């Protein structure tokens, strides 16, 4: 269905194609190179939307979630880099993405480090991952009630889930990237602050 929709010269249903691509990536453990070459550009095109309505934000969040799942596959730079760079830079200026969507955008890009170490320069010195991740952690930390009791487990707020995701993304970055700059002092400080704040009541955050 994806191939048929993509090959249409007229009357292509972009919304249907994006929905199919989301499903394909989410439901398949092994992705074919043909489908990656269709799905990644399709979903990035949707994620480039600059509308700030709640509906548009939710659509972009789901698309970036699907992209963040695509981990160890070889994807040509010309298929994604300009688009994901624009998505991240535009958010840094206009704050149009949700916290989750922004995290997924970074995760998609950092996942590419596995096959392309030259992305380090873009991630560290152009897009300022250290500073951005530290800022996100600090903003999210302020919106959580860290005094949660033992009998309240399982009632995590959305912010806690996003923080957990950031900790996982940061760990993958530290595992994959050798290039650091002075912004990482701030990031490490934020990680330590999150650990100290969460260690008594939030086991998963403490773990990551």
């Amino acid at each position: 269905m994806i191939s048929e929709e993509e090959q249409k010269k007229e009357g292509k249903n972009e919304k249907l194609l994006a929905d199919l691509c989301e499903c394909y990536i989410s439901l398949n453990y092994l992705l074919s190179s043909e489908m990656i070459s269709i799905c990644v550009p399709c979903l990035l095109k949707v994620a480039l939307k600059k509308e700030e309505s709640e509906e548009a934000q939710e659509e972009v969040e789901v698309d970036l979630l699907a992209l963040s799942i695509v981990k160890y596959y070889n994807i040509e730079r010309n298929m994604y880099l300009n688009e994901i760079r624009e998505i991240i830079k535009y958010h840094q200026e206009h704050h149009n993405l949700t916290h989750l969507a922004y995290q997924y955008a970074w995760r998609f890009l950092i996942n590419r480090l596995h096959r392309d170490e030259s992305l380090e320069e873009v991630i560290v010195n152009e897009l300022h991952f250290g500073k951005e991740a530290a800022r996100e952690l600090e903003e999210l930390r302020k919106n959580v009630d860290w005094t949660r009791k033992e009998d309240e487990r399982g009632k995590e707020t959305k912010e806690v889930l996003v923080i957990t995701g950031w900790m996982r993304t940061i760990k993958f970055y530290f595992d994959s990237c050798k290039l650091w700059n002075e912004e990482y002092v701030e990031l490490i400080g934020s990680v330590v602050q999150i650990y100290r704040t969460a260690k008594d009541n939030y086991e998963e955050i403490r773990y990551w």
Side-chain angles (χ1 to χ4, degrees):
M1 290 176 69
I2 291 172
S3 296
E4 289 173 1
E5 196 64 37
E6 170 65 18
Q7 290 167 14
K8 287 182 180 179
K9 294 182 178 178
E10 295 182 1
K12 185 184 297 186
N13 187 331
E14 299 286 355
K15 178 67 168 65
L16 173 63
L17 182 59
D19 288 346
L20 289 170
C21 289
E22 289 168 11
C23 291
Y24 175 80
I25 290 174
S26 300
L27 296 174
N28 284 273
Y29 178 70
L30 296 175
L31 309 178
S32 73
S33 57
E34 177 192 1
M35 289 297 100
I36 286 177
S37 69
I38 296 173
C39 291
V40 168
C42 171
L43 295 179
L44 283 170
K45 183 178 179 181
V46 174
L48 276 166
K49 288 182 177 179
K50 297 177 173 63
E51 303 170 36
E52 296 186 15
S53 69
E54 186 174 344
E55 182 179 355
Q57 284 188 331
E58 288 178 356
E59 185 178 2
V60 168
E61 187 177 286
V62 173
D63 277 20
L64 288 169
L65 168 60
L67 285 167
S68 74
I69 296 171
V70 183
K71 293 184 179 178
Y72 303 116
Y73 295 93
N74 187 24
I75 306 175
E76 297 294 329
R77 268 186 169 220
N78 60 10
M79 197 183 296
Y80 71 87
L81 185 55
N82 288 340
E83 290 80 1
I84 199 66
R85 180 194 276 133
E86 182 179 343
I87 289 166
I88 290 173
K89 282 188 170 182
Y90 188 85
H91 173 75
Q92 289 172 352
E93 293 178 13
H94 302 280
H95 304 287
N96 63 307
L97 300 176
T98 65
H99 285 292
L100 266 178
Y102 190 47
Q103 179 191 125
Y104 294 147
W106 274 113
R107 192 178 300 176
F108 170 77
L109 181 57
I110 289 172
N111 283 341
R112 312 276 67 77
L113 278 170
H114 182 72
R115 291 185 177 267
D116 187 355
E117 291 183 358
S118 64
L119 287 172
E120 291 181 350
E121 178 66 31
V122 175
I123 291 171
V124 175
N125 292 325
E126 180 183 345
L127 298 178
H128 304 284
F129 175 72
K131 180 177 71 174
E132 287 295 301
R135 182 187 55 75
E136 285 285 301
L137 286 177
E138 180 61 19
E139 187 174 329
L140 290 160
R141 186 180 67 82
K142 291 177 179 177
N143 292 321
V144 174
D145 177 9
W146 295 103
T147 61
R148 186 190 66 169
K149 304 301 182 183
E150 191 73 22
D151 60 359
E152 295 173 327
R153 289 186 184 276
K155 297 180 181 178
E156 293 88 347
T157 63
K158 188 173 183 178
E159 286 81 2
V160 169
L161 298 177
V162 181
I163 289 171
T164 305
W166 271 111
M167 300 299 274
R168 294 173 61 188
T169 302
I170 291 165
K171 179 194 180 299
F172 185 81
Y173 176 80
F174 285 159
D175 288 345
S176 305
C177 188
K178 302 178 182 67
L179 180 63
W180 287 31
N181 64 15
E182 63 278 3
E183 294 173 1
Y184 285 85
V185 175
E186 182 181 355
L187 176 57
I188 291 170
S190 294
V191 171
V192 170
Q193 182 65 43
I194 290 288
Y195 174 78
R196 288 174 173 166
T197 307
K199 65 185 178 68
D200 292 332
N201 291 323
Y202 291 85
E203 184 176 350
E204 189 171 5
I205 292 179
R206 182 178 70 227
Y207 169 81
W208 286 107

